[in-house]
Amino acid sequence: MGPVFTAAAMLWFTQVTADGSYLVNMLPALLLMGAGLGMVFVPMQNLALFGVDKDDSGVAGALVNASQQIGGSLGIALFSTIAAAATAGGVSLAALSTGYSMVFLWAAGIAILIAPIALLLINIDRKKFTGTDGDAPIVHLG
């Protein structure tokens, strides 16, 4: 659901214009995107550390964080290029809005592609992942 919420928010952002309203054009999309990204990043961190020995969990967590930083850098580079091409050298608010709309459209497409990929590739037994045997949770203290 997270990628779908994120894609819906990105599609909402494509409607933003230079003379748009924050309450109508931005706030609902920001709330939707926050919910969607919350449903993506928290489980992603849990999945990345699933099955990792506790002695290696620090390294695995650092690898996930580094991957997110690299992905963010590559995403900014890609989306900046798309925005620059879509504005066609214009510096008016309307031209910039057009460029941002194109970026949000591409981002929505990528988010939509993520949903089926995640559904097909992530295959973990729910009982094993939650640490339950079906009846009671296993609690590790200290």
Side-chain angles (χ1 to χ4, degrees):
M1 286 302 287
V4 175
F5 281 14
T6 302
M10 293 297 172
L11 289 174
W12 195 313
F13 282 136
T14 62
Q15 304 305 309
V16 173
T17 61
D19 58 348
S21 165
Y22 178 79
L23 288 176
V24 173
N25 298 112
M26 297 293 293
L27 185 60
L30 287 172
L31 293 173
L32 188 60
M33 187 171 60
L37 291 177
M39 286 189 257
V40 169
F41 282 105
V42 174
M44 184 176 61
Q45 187 76 19
N46 290 339
L47 284 170
L49 297 177
F50 177 71
V52 175
D53 187 58
K54 68 179 182 176
D55 294 333
D56 296 329
S57 62
V59 173
L63 181 62
V64 171
N65 289 335
S67 299
Q68 289 175 347
Q69 294 297 317
I70 292 169
S73 298
L74 292 174
I76 288 173
L78 173 68
F79 291 142
S80 296
T81 303
I82 292 170
T87 58
V91 292
S92 68
L93 291 178
L96 293 175
S97 294
T98 301
Y100 294 146
S101 291
M102 184 59 65
V103 167
F104 290 130
L105 188 61
W106 274 88
I110 291 169
I112 290 295
L113 287 176
I114 289 171
I117 291 171
L119 288 173
L120 294 173
L121 294 181
I122 298 172
N123 187 14
I124 295 177
D125 181 24
R126 180 177 227 153
K127 290 179 184 175
K128 192 174 180 183
F129 184 75
T130 59
T132 64
D133 56 5
D135 295 325
I138 298 171
V139 178
H140 298 282
L141 301 174

